[in-house]
Amino acid sequence: MDMIESSAIKAYFTGLHRGLIERLTFLDPEALHAEDSWQREEGGGGLSHVITDGRLVEKGGVNFSHVTGASLPPSATKTRPQLANRPFEAMGVSVVFHPQNPFVPCTHMNVRYFSTRDDTDAPPIWWFGGGFDLTPCYGFEEDAITWHQAAHDACAPFGNDLYPRFKAACDQYFHLPHRGEARGIGGLFFDDFDELGPQDSFSLTQSIGNAFLPAWEGIALKRKNTPYNHDQKSFQKIRRGRYVEFNLLYDRGTLFGLQSNGRTESILMSLPPQVQWAYNHTPVPGSPEESLVRDFLKPRDWISS
């Protein structure tokens, strides 16, 4: 089985990183952009691009990282304990957009590649991972259908079983057990993935990475001019609090970055700009806010006929 050169994987990730930035600059020309490169003492580095104060995106980021290290951290070996403390190479692109308008959903995407060895004379052990998910504050069925259809179509060329598997994994992963609710309406999540072989596993990862922005863009442009009031903006901040809780308590990417002595500013780039926690907040019965929790924040088959 022929391995793919890591340089080819890196070339795709850096191209995806730059393409996402260019497209977002076109979609939100008034936003402020800041970019800086960074290096790790242990090996490797990355490029962080942060977007703020746009009409579409209040705060967002598009990060690329390519790091090496002497010891895989626990967050990366949960399902592969035999690889603990092995040297590794990891690279990927991570994206999050926190919109200005509460009717535009927050979104996240990550695609990544890991490589390590369980013996110095053995061939590399590698895998891909990633996915994308949508976190609305106000639920619209047509948006959820659009999102999940894009997720389905990204996986379809590689097997009919992949979308339902990755969707179920996403529903399970992006869940706040202490709240008993989902973070959003899901999408795709896959990890430790090598079952299609190097080339097709890489191609699947590319398909998912390429499908992300067009899927979100169509929804965002449809909702970005929806009028909203102070109460709806306040509800957005409450829902952002749930996002913060997940990222700081459960997110494996955040844990990997911190455990591997990554760059803190880049790791925490995913957090929203303004958040609030209202004690014992309960949406008004019959309101759109209640509908979000009741009708959208639970696993659901969005594209079944």
Side-chain angles (χ1 to χ4, degrees), residues 50-91:
V50 178
I51 305 104
T52 55
D53 299 324
R55 292 190 63 189
L56 179 59
V57 175
E58 186 173 358
K59 181 190 174 189
V62 186
N63 283 354
F64 166 76
S65 63
H66 180 199
V67 301
T68 58
S71 178
L72 269 169
S75 59
T77 58
K78 185 175 181 180
T79 61
R80 298 171 182 260
Q82 74 277 14
L83 299 180
N85 301 316
R86 299 288 182 179
F88 70 93
E89 176 184 24
M91 68 178 87

Short mmCIF file of all heavy atoms in Angstrom, two decimals, residues 50-91:
data_model
loop_
_atom_site.label_atom_id
_atom_site.label_comp_id
_atom_site.label_asym_id
_atom_site.label_seq_id
_atom_site.Cartn_x
_atom_site.Cartn_y
_atom_site.Cartn_z
N VAL A 50 -7.08 35.56 11.93
CA VAL A 50 -8.24 35.91 12.75
C VAL A 50 -9.03 37.02 12.07
O VAL A 50 -8.45 37.99 11.56
CB VAL A 50 -7.80 36.34 14.16
CG1 VAL A 50 -9.00 36.75 15.00
CG2 VAL A 50 -7.05 35.20 14.84
N ILE A 51 -10.36 36.84 12.05
CA ILE A 51 -11.27 37.80 11.45
C ILE A 51 -12.12 38.41 12.57
O ILE A 51 -12.65 37.68 13.41
CB ILE A 51 -12.20 37.12 10.41
CG1 ILE A 51 -11.38 36.38 9.37
CG2 ILE A 51 -13.12 38.13 9.76
CD1 ILE A 51 -11.37 34.88 9.54
N THR A 52 -12.25 39.74 12.58
CA THR A 52 -13.07 40.40 13.60
C THR A 52 -13.88 41.53 12.99
O THR A 52 -13.51 42.10 11.95
CB THR A 52 -12.20 40.97 14.73
OG1 THR A 52 -11.21 41.85 14.18
CG2 THR A 52 -11.51 39.88 15.52
N ASP A 53 -14.99 41.84 13.65
CA ASP A 53 -15.79 43.05 13.39
C ASP A 53 -16.29 43.18 11.97
O ASP A 53 -16.41 44.28 11.44
CB ASP A 53 -14.97 44.30 13.76
CG ASP A 53 -14.57 44.33 15.23
OD1 ASP A 53 -15.38 43.87 16.05
OD2 ASP A 53 -13.45 44.77 15.53
N GLY A 54 -16.61 42.07 11.35
CA GLY A 54 -17.20 42.12 10.03
C GLY A 54 -18.72 42.26 10.11
O GLY A 54 -19.33 42.07 11.17
N ARG A 55 -19.34 42.53 9.01
CA ARG A 55 -20.81 42.56 8.97
C ARG A 55 -21.37 41.14 9.01
O ARG A 55 -22.46 40.92 9.51
CB ARG A 55 -21.29 43.26 7.70
CG ARG A 55 -21.02 44.76 7.65
CD ARG A 55 -21.74 45.42 6.51
NE ARG A 55 -23.19 45.29 6.66
CZ ARG A 55 -24.07 45.63 5.72
NH1 ARG A 55 -23.64 46.08 4.55
NH2 ARG A 55 -25.37 45.49 5.94
N LEU A 56 -20.61 40.19 8.50
CA LEU A 56 -21.04 38.80 8.51
C LEU A 56 -20.47 38.06 9.70
O LEU A 56 -21.19 37.38 10.44
CB LEU A 56 -20.61 38.10 7.20
CG LEU A 56 -20.98 36.63 7.06
CD1 LEU A 56 -22.49 36.43 7.15
CD2 LEU A 56 -20.44 36.07 5.75
N VAL A 57 -19.16 38.17 9.93
CA VAL A 57 -18.48 37.44 10.99
C VAL A 57 -18.03 38.43 12.07
O VAL A 57 -17.24 39.33 11.81
CB VAL A 57 -17.27 36.66 10.44
CG1 VAL A 57 -16.50 36.00 11.57
CG2 VAL A 57 -17.74 35.61 9.44
N GLU A 58 -18.56 38.23 13.29
CA GLU A 58 -18.13 39.06 14.40
C GLU A 58 -16.74 38.68 14.86
O GLU A 58 -15.91 39.54 15.18
CB GLU A 58 -19.13 38.94 15.55
CG GLU A 58 -18.85 39.88 16.70
CD GLU A 58 -19.94 39.84 17.75
OE1 GLU A 58 -20.94 39.11 17.58
OE2 GLU A 58 -19.79 40.56 18.77
N LYS A 59 -16.48 37.38 14.91
CA LYS A 59 -15.14 36.89 15.19
C LYS A 59 -15.01 35.50 14.57
O LYS A 59 -15.93 34.69 14.64
CB LYS A 59 -14.87 36.78 16.68
CG LYS A 59 -13.45 36.28 17.00
CD LYS A 59 -13.26 35.96 18.47
CE LYS A 59 -11.90 35.34 18.74
NZ LYS A 59 -11.79 34.83 20.13
N GLY A 60 -13.88 35.26 13.95
CA GLY A 60 -13.64 33.95 13.37
C GLY A 60 -12.16 33.73 13.18
O GLY A 60 -11.34 34.63 13.39
N GLY A 61 -11.83 32.53 12.76
CA GLY A 61 -10.43 32.22 12.52
C GLY A 61 -10.29 31.07 11.56
O GLY A 61 -11.16 30.20 11.46
N VAL A 62 -9.18 31.11 10.83
CA VAL A 62 -8.80 30.03 9.92
C VAL A 62 -7.35 29.71 10.23
O VAL A 62 -6.45 30.50 9.92
CB VAL A 62 -8.97 30.45 8.44
CG1 VAL A 62 -8.70 29.27 7.52
CG2 VAL A 62 -10.36 31.02 8.18
N ASN A 63 -7.10 28.58 10.84
CA ASN A 63 -5.76 28.22 11.30
C ASN A 63 -5.21 27.04 10.52
O ASN A 63 -5.93 26.09 10.21
CB ASN A 63 -5.79 27.81 12.78
CG ASN A 63 -5.89 29.00 13.71
OD1 ASN A 63 -5.84 30.15 13.28
ND2 ASN A 63 -6.05 28.74 14.99
N PHE A 64 -3.92 27.11 10.24
CA PHE A 64 -3.18 25.96 9.72
C PHE A 64 -2.06 25.66 10.71
O PHE A 64 -1.40 26.56 11.22
CB PHE A 64 -2.57 26.24 8.35
CG PHE A 64 -1.53 25.23 7.95
CD1 PHE A 64 -1.91 23.97 7.52
CD2 PHE A 64 -0.18 25.51 8.06
CE1 PHE A 64 -0.96 23.00 7.19
CE2 PHE A 64 0.79 24.56 7.73
CZ PHE A 64 0.39 23.30 7.28
N SER A 65 -1.85 24.37 10.98
CA SER A 65 -0.74 23.98 11.83
C SER A 65 -0.09 22.71 11.29
O SER A 65 -0.76 21.87 10.68
CB SER A 65 -1.19 23.75 13.28
OG SER A 65 -2.11 22.68 13.35
N HIS A 66 1.20 22.61 11.49
CA HIS A 66 1.98 21.44 11.12
C HIS A 66 3.04 21.27 12.20
O HIS A 66 4.01 22.04 12.26
CB HIS A 66 2.62 21.61 9.74
CG HIS A 66 3.44 20.43 9.32
ND1 HIS A 66 4.41 20.51 8.33
CD2 HIS A 66 3.45 19.14 9.75
CE1 HIS A 66 4.96 19.31 8.17
NE2 HIS A 66 4.40 18.47 9.03
N VAL A 67 2.82 20.32 13.10
CA VAL A 67 3.69 20.19 14.25
C VAL A 67 4.24 18.77 14.35
O VAL A 67 3.63 17.81 13.86
CB VAL A 67 2.97 20.56 15.56
CG1 VAL A 67 2.46 22.00 15.50
CG2 VAL A 67 1.82 19.60 15.85
N THR A 68 5.38 18.66 14.99
CA THR A 68 5.97 17.36 15.30
C THR A 68 6.31 17.35 16.79
O THR A 68 6.46 18.40 17.43
CB THR A 68 7.24 17.10 14.48
OG1 THR A 68 8.19 18.15 14.74
CG2 THR A 68 6.93 17.06 12.99
N GLY A 69 6.42 16.16 17.34
CA GLY A 69 6.73 16.06 18.75
C GLY A 69 7.28 14.70 19.10
O GLY A 69 7.17 13.74 18.32
N ALA A 70 7.84 14.61 20.28
CA ALA A 70 8.46 13.36 20.73
C ALA A 70 7.48 12.42 21.39
O ALA A 70 7.78 11.24 21.57
CB ALA A 70 9.60 13.68 21.71
N SER A 71 6.28 12.91 21.75
CA SER A 71 5.36 12.07 22.52
C SER A 71 3.92 12.48 22.24
O SER A 71 3.53 13.61 22.54
CB SER A 71 5.66 12.21 24.02
OG SER A 71 4.76 11.45 24.78
N LEU A 72 3.14 11.57 21.66
CA LEU A 72 1.72 11.85 21.43
C LEU A 72 1.02 12.09 22.76
O LEU A 72 1.15 11.30 23.68
CB LEU A 72 1.05 10.67 20.73
CG LEU A 72 1.02 10.68 19.20
CD1 LEU A 72 0.57 9.33 18.68
CD2 LEU A 72 0.10 11.78 18.68
N PRO A 73 0.26 13.18 22.89
CA PRO A 73 -0.46 13.44 24.14
C PRO A 73 -1.67 12.53 24.31
O PRO A 73 -2.13 11.91 23.34
CB PRO A 73 -0.89 14.91 23.99
CG PRO A 73 -0.92 15.15 22.53
CD PRO A 73 0.14 14.28 21.93
N PRO A 74 -2.22 12.43 25.51
CA PRO A 74 -3.32 11.50 25.78
C PRO A 74 -4.54 11.72 24.90
O PRO A 74 -5.22 10.75 24.53
CB PRO A 74 -3.65 11.77 27.26
CG PRO A 74 -2.39 12.31 27.83
CD PRO A 74 -1.74 13.09 26.73
N SER A 75 -4.84 12.96 24.54
CA SER A 75 -6.04 13.23 23.74
C SER A 75 -5.96 12.60 22.36
O SER A 75 -6.98 12.37 21.71
CB SER A 75 -6.26 14.74 23.60
OG SER A 75 -5.13 15.35 22.99
N ALA A 76 -4.75 12.32 21.86
CA ALA A 76 -4.59 11.73 20.54
C ALA A 76 -4.47 10.21 20.57
O ALA A 76 -4.42 9.57 19.52
CB ALA A 76 -3.35 12.32 19.85
N THR A 77 -4.42 9.64 21.76
CA THR A 77 -4.22 8.18 21.85
C THR A 77 -5.35 7.50 22.62
O THR A 77 -5.21 6.37 23.08
CB THR A 77 -2.88 7.86 22.54
OG1 THR A 77 -2.86 8.45 23.84
CG2 THR A 77 -1.71 8.39 21.73
N LYS A 78 -6.48 8.19 22.73
CA LYS A 78 -7.60 7.63 23.48
C LYS A 78 -8.05 6.29 22.92
O LYS A 78 -8.36 5.36 23.66
CB LYS A 78 -8.76 8.61 23.47
CG LYS A 78 -9.93 8.19 24.33
CD LYS A 78 -11.00 9.27 24.37
CE LYS A 78 -12.17 8.86 25.25
NZ LYS A 78 -13.22 9.92 25.30
N THR A 79 -8.09 6.19 21.58
CA THR A 79 -8.49 4.92 20.94
C THR A 79 -7.29 4.10 20.49
O THR A 79 -7.48 3.02 19.94
CB THR A 79 -9.40 5.20 19.74
OG1 THR A 79 -8.69 5.99 18.77
CG2 THR A 79 -10.66 5.95 20.16
N ARG A 80 -6.08 4.60 20.71
CA ARG A 80 -4.87 3.89 20.33
C ARG A 80 -3.87 3.96 21.48
O ARG A 80 -2.79 4.55 21.34
CB ARG A 80 -4.25 4.47 19.06
CG ARG A 80 -5.15 4.39 17.82
CD ARG A 80 -4.54 5.20 16.68
NE ARG A 80 -5.36 5.20 15.49
CZ ARG A 80 -5.15 4.44 14.42
NH1 ARG A 80 -4.14 3.60 14.41
NH2 ARG A 80 -5.94 4.51 13.36
N PRO A 81 -4.18 3.38 22.63
CA PRO A 81 -3.30 3.54 23.79
C PRO A 81 -1.91 2.97 23.58
O PRO A 81 -0.96 3.39 24.24
CB PRO A 81 -4.05 2.78 24.90
CG PRO A 81 -4.99 1.85 24.19
CD PRO A 81 -5.37 2.57 22.93
N GLN A 82 -1.76 2.04 22.63
CA GLN A 82 -0.44 1.46 22.38
C GLN A 82 0.52 2.48 21.76
O GLN A 82 1.74 2.26 21.73
CB GLN A 82 -0.55 0.23 21.46
CG GLN A 82 -0.84 0.53 19.99
CD GLN A 82 -2.32 0.76 19.70
OE1 GLN A 82 -3.12 0.96 20.61
NE2 GLN A 82 -2.68 0.73 18.43
N LEU A 83 -0.03 3.62 21.28
CA LEU A 83 0.81 4.63 20.65
C LEU A 83 1.21 5.75 21.62
O LEU A 83 1.88 6.70 21.21
CB LEU A 83 0.09 5.25 19.44
CG LEU A 83 -0.28 4.28 18.32
CD1 LEU A 83 -1.00 5.03 17.20
CD2 LEU A 83 0.95 3.57 17.77
N ALA A 84 0.81 5.65 22.85
CA ALA A 84 1.16 6.68 23.83
C ALA A 84 2.66 6.86 23.91
O ALA A 84 3.43 5.90 23.86
CB ALA A 84 0.60 6.31 25.20
N ASN A 85 3.07 8.11 23.96
CA ASN A 85 4.48 8.50 24.10
C ASN A 85 5.31 8.23 22.86
O ASN A 85 6.54 8.23 22.93
CB ASN A 85 5.11 7.80 25.32
CG ASN A 85 4.39 8.13 26.61
OD1 ASN A 85 4.05 9.29 26.85
ND2 ASN A 85 4.15 7.12 27.43
N ARG A 86 4.66 7.99 21.72
CA ARG A 86 5.39 7.81 20.46
C ARG A 86 5.61 9.16 19.77
O ARG A 86 4.81 10.08 19.92
CB ARG A 86 4.62 6.89 19.52
CG ARG A 86 4.38 5.49 20.07
CD ARG A 86 5.66 4.69 20.10
NE ARG A 86 5.43 3.32 20.59
CZ ARG A 86 6.36 2.40 20.70
NH1 ARG A 86 7.60 2.69 20.34
NH2 ARG A 86 6.07 1.19 21.15
N PRO A 87 6.68 9.29 19.00
CA PRO A 87 6.86 10.52 18.23
C PRO A 87 5.76 10.66 17.18
O PRO A 87 5.21 9.66 16.71
CB PRO A 87 8.24 10.34 17.58
CG PRO A 87 8.46 8.87 17.58
CD PRO A 87 7.77 8.33 18.79
N PHE A 88 5.44 11.90 16.80
CA PHE A 88 4.31 12.11 15.90
C PHE A 88 4.53 13.30 14.98
O PHE A 88 5.36 14.18 15.25
CB PHE A 88 3.03 12.33 16.70
CG PHE A 88 2.99 13.65 17.43
CD1 PHE A 88 2.43 14.77 16.85
CD2 PHE A 88 3.53 13.78 18.71
CE1 PHE A 88 2.40 16.00 17.52
CE2 PHE A 88 3.51 14.98 19.38
CZ PHE A 88 2.94 16.10 18.79
N GLU A 89 3.76 13.30 13.91
CA GLU A 89 3.60 14.44 13.02
C GLU A 89 2.10 14.68 12.89
O GLU A 89 1.33 13.74 12.70
CB GLU A 89 4.20 14.16 11.65
CG GLU A 89 3.98 15.27 10.64
CD GLU A 89 4.51 14.91 9.25
OE1 GLU A 89 4.60 13.70 8.95
OE2 GLU A 89 4.79 15.84 8.47
N ALA A 90 1.68 15.93 13.03
CA ALA A 90 0.27 16.27 12.91
C ALA A 90 0.12 17.56 12.13
O ALA A 90 0.91 18.50 12.32
CB ALA A 90 -0.37 16.42 14.29
N MET A 91 -0.86 17.59 11.25
CA MET A 91 -1.12 18.82 10.51
C MET A 91 -2.61 18.91 10.21
O MET A 91 -3.33 17.91 10.19
CB MET A 91 -0.30 18.88 9.22
CG MET A 91 -0.68 17.86 8.16
SD MET A 91 0.30 18.04 6.65
CE MET A 91 1.73 17.03 7.06
#
